[in-house]
Amino acid sequence: MNFELTEEHKMIRDAARDFAQTELLPGVIERDENQTFPTEQIKKLGKLGFMGMMVSPKYGGAGMDTVSYVLAMEEISKIDASASVIVSVNNSLVCYGIEQYGSEEQKQKYLTKLATGEFIGAFCLSEPEAGSDATSQKTTALDMGDHYIINGTKNWITNGGRSDVYLVIAQTDRDKGHKGINAFIVEKGMEGFDIGPKEDKLGIRGSDTHTLQFNDVKVPKENRIGEDGFGFKFAMKTLSGGRIGIAAQALGIAAGAYELALKYSKERKAFGTEICNHQAIAFKLADMYTDITAARHLVMKAAWDKDEGNDYDISGAMAKLYASKVAMEHTVEAVQIHGGNGFVKDYHVERLMRDAKITQIYEGTSEIQKIIISRSIIKG
Ligand code: CAA
């Protein structure tokens, strides 16, 4: 067993760290406050290969492995979790979904642009009445022969107002249950496809989250992904990989808060010494460091499983469950270590605490991860 990163992995991690420090840190507080999408930064990330990290160079991607991807996700998320969710959805849901399950024509038409950051993508599964219960899709896609007609509403869609390509999950044949669900590539600007108001969120406020409306949207048959009825499995398989990206995001949020708390505790003095010398603070730091290291091992194991061709449904679910719990708990502790300063925006930890919460909700709540894990261990 080898826990060492390769030189290439270290280079990718360092490049992401440098980018986060020089390009994302300036203005991160203002973008959060004003809900500003990091347009220029995402363009630059695309040029550097971070928007299609795992996509084959044949389609314009960087051809890297999942371990590289989670290393980059951790570094970006330490500084700007809004930017990292944009990166994550584009990489592990949209690019991966099309590269793995799309037709050659779909790859040439869409993936080549998504992989370079020329296009941004969104993944549209959640609905007002179907978030966790993903088989209960109310959005319909009627088969009209050479095209489908899509009607319905999608909620809480990351990159909702900023995307060029939307992967939309919809029910074609209700009698067939999940086997009647399909996945489609819908383009921005298709007639009847409307972008609703932007959500005003607790965290990841620089990312762009919308409700989407589909009113008789005509989608050509060649935009369906996979065979008729493959849509639910497409969503589940794609989300399994997406969860590794969100686990890495949660890890980065926790690690970012920990690094700030450690630095602050070495500078701030109280009762005659730096506060890190008080056990009340030192023990918090020890717990944070231990839990973050454990979360990193789970994230790396899930990424490695995916790279090795092993099953990663369970390792990804465990990584997301644990890393998001660590992110939530330890961003609260990081605020506590900062005292009054932790409660104001300039010190960054209050933002990280707000950002942490979503990692326990999107791409499957913590309860969903527990369903996935428990079903597997009970089945044996
Ligand atoms: N890979 C392949 N197939 C899978 C699968 C997987 N990971 N998980 C389930 N399936 C298959 C099952 O084998 C089954 O197929 P068969 O009938 O042929 O055997 C079929 O799918 C139905 O599976 P279940 O009976 O297990 O389905 P269920 O209704 O009990 O639900 C669930 C399972 C795991 C709870 C699922 O509904 C789920 O993951 N829900 C959460 C959805 C989610 O993550 N939503 C987040 C929205 S996306 C988002 O947040 C993106 C963003 O913008 C950031």
Side-chain angles (χ1 to χ4, degrees), residues 68-327:
S68 306
Y69 168 60
V70 297
L71 287 167
M73 276 296 295
E74 180 182 345
E75 293 305 323
I76 295 170
S77 307
K78 280 181 185 173
I79 303 296
D80 188 348
S82 295
S84 76
V85 72
I86 301 164
V87 171
S88 179
V89 168
N90 201 73
N91 271 281
S92 50
L93 295 181
V94 184
C95 285
Y96 178 81
I98 298 178
E99 182 165 28
Q100 198 67 21
Y101 304 109
S103 66
E104 186 56 31
E105 194 192 349
Q106 290 167 352
K107 290 178 199 175
Q108 293 296 344
K109 190 168 175 191
Y110 302 108
L111 183 59
T112 49
K113 294 192 167 119
L114 287 159
T116 54
E118 186 184 336
F119 275 4
I120 293 178
F123 186 84
C124 314
L125 174 71
S126 299
E127 299 187 354
E129 291 170 68
S132 293
D133 183 7
T135 51
S136 297
Q137 295 288 302
K138 297 275 188 298
T139 298
T140 55
L142 290 187
D143 188 344
M144 309 300 281
D146 65 342
H147 66 275
Y148 287 84
I149 295 289
I150 301 186
N151 277 290
T153 305
K154 294 287 175 184
N155 269 29
W156 311 296
I157 303 303
T158 305
N159 300 340
R162 294 283 175 160
S163 289
D164 306 274
V165 169
Y166 296 78
L167 302 188
V168 179
I169 316 297
Q171 182 69 254
T172 297
D173 186 343
R174 198 162 300 287
D175 293 342
K176 289 188 183 161
H178 71 79
K179 292 194 169 97
I181 291 176
N182 278 309
F184 301 92
I185 301 176
V186 175
E187 292 177 24
K188 176 177 80 177
M190 279 184 165
E191 208 180 328
F193 173 31
D194 296 317
I195 294 160
K198 180 170 166 151
E199 300 291 353
D200 187 1
K201 307 192 296 285
L202 172 73
I204 54 161
R205 287 169 58 80
S207 73
D208 187 66
T209 310
H210 288 257
T211 294
L212 307 177
Q213 207 71 46
F214 300 84
N215 299 307
D216 289 333
V217 181
K218 187 175 169 184
V219 179
K221 199 153 232 173
E222 61 263 25
N223 280 30
R224 189 185 72 209
I225 299 177
E227 293 299 306
D228 184 30
F230 179 63
F232 188 72
K233 288 205 176 171
F234 167 80
M236 291 300 108
K237 282 174 179 285
T238 306
L239 276 167
S240 285
R243 287 168 185 149
I244 302 174
I246 298 304
Q249 181 191 40
L251 168 64
I253 293 171
Y258 159 76
E259 286 172 14
L260 289 168
L262 177 64
K263 181 168 177 287
Y264 184 83
S265 73
K266 288 174 163 180
E267 290 164 4
R268 173 79 178 183
K269 287 190 176 155
F271 303 103
T273 182
E274 289 78 13
I275 60 171
C276 63
N277 296 322
H278 297 298
Q279 272 193 348
I281 302 298
F283 283 11
K284 282 189 200 301
L285 293 169
D287 283 338
M288 289 166 110
Y289 185 70
T290 305
D291 290 347
I292 289 165
T293 303
R296 190 174 290 115
H297 287 330
L298 282 174
V299 171
M300 284 296 169
K301 171 65 167 57
W304 180 83
D305 277 339
K306 185 157 174 283
D307 288 336
E308 291 296 305
N310 300 337
D311 184 280
Y312 53 89
D313 292 346
I314 309 307
S315 52
M318 289 196 298
K320 182 178 183 291
L321 175 67
Y322 188 70
S324 61
K325 177 172 170 279
V326 167

